[in-house]
Amino acid sequence: MADRIKFMIPGKPAYLTMVRLAIGSIADMSGFDIEEIEDIKTAVSEACKNISCHGLSGFAEEYTVECVAEEGRMEIYVTDNSDGHVLEKVAKPCLDCPNEGNLGVFVIQSLMNEIELIDSAQGKKTIRMVKYK
């Protein structure tokens, strides 16, 4: 039976390290080796950046990382929960990023077995990723 873990993350970049550590621990418990764990952590980092800030003038107030984990398989959803991107950036590095964080999406595609970009009727964005052992 799969385990479901869900985090509500403030959009501040400082929390990205916590997300990486948690996802890495979950991937380890699901039986992935160290290289696969690093791939998953990198993909989730890119998804969090894409959802919370890429191409936008501020960071999301909050986003969700949800993980469905079982032996040899992880399905991860990163979803924008905010009503806007209002947390001001100290610097604006994302303004030089390709539109909509396209480079990050290519990184995710190269590291994960499946990726899906989902736009809800309410204008919320979700990135769904799956990794198989």
Side-chain angles (χ1 to χ4, degrees):
M1 176 172 228
D3 294 328
R4 183 175 296 270
I5 302 100
K6 187 173 187 178
F7 304 97
M8 304 290 280
I9 313 294
K12 297 175 183 174
Y15 288 102
L16 192 53
T17 299
M18 184 274 310
V19 172
R20 286 179 54 85
L21 290 171
I23 290 295
S25 178
I26 296 165
D28 182 46
M29 290 173 41
S30 296
F32 290 95
D33 65 34
I34 191 71
E35 288 181 22
E36 293 165 326
I37 292 169
E38 287 303 317
D39 288 350
I40 293 167
K41 287 168 46 178
T42 299
V44 170
S45 293
E46 289 298 326
C48 291
K49 290 178 199 174
N50 187 294
I51 288 294
S52 72
C53 74
H54 273 264
L56 303 168
S57 61
F59 294 105
E61 290 178 294
E62 178 182 270
Y63 61 96
T64 301
V65 176
E66 186 172 358
C67 182
V68 179
E70 55 190 308
E71 184 65 32
R73 181 183 185 275
M74 283 183 71
E75 184 170 358
I76 305 159
Y77 297 83
V78 180
T79 304
D80 180 1
N81 292 337
S82 34
D83 292 327
H85 289 73
V86 296
L87 296 175
E88 187 177 342
K89 293 180 182 180
V90 174
K92 306 246 188 266
C94 294
L95 295 179
D96 294 328
C97 293
N99 290 337
E100 299 298 320
N102 289 336
L103 184 59
V105 172
F106 290 128
V107 169
I108 296 167
Q109 287 173 331
S110 71
L111 298 173
M112 302 296 278
N113 298 106
E114 297 176 27
I115 176 175
E116 180 180 6
L117 306 174
I118 305 165
D119 289 319
S120 74
Q122 297 81 23
K124 307 289 184 189
K125 294 183 181 283
T126 298
I127 298 177
R128 175 186 168 268
M129 302 164 281
V130 180
K131 182 74 169 180
Y132 300 103
K133 180 131 181 71

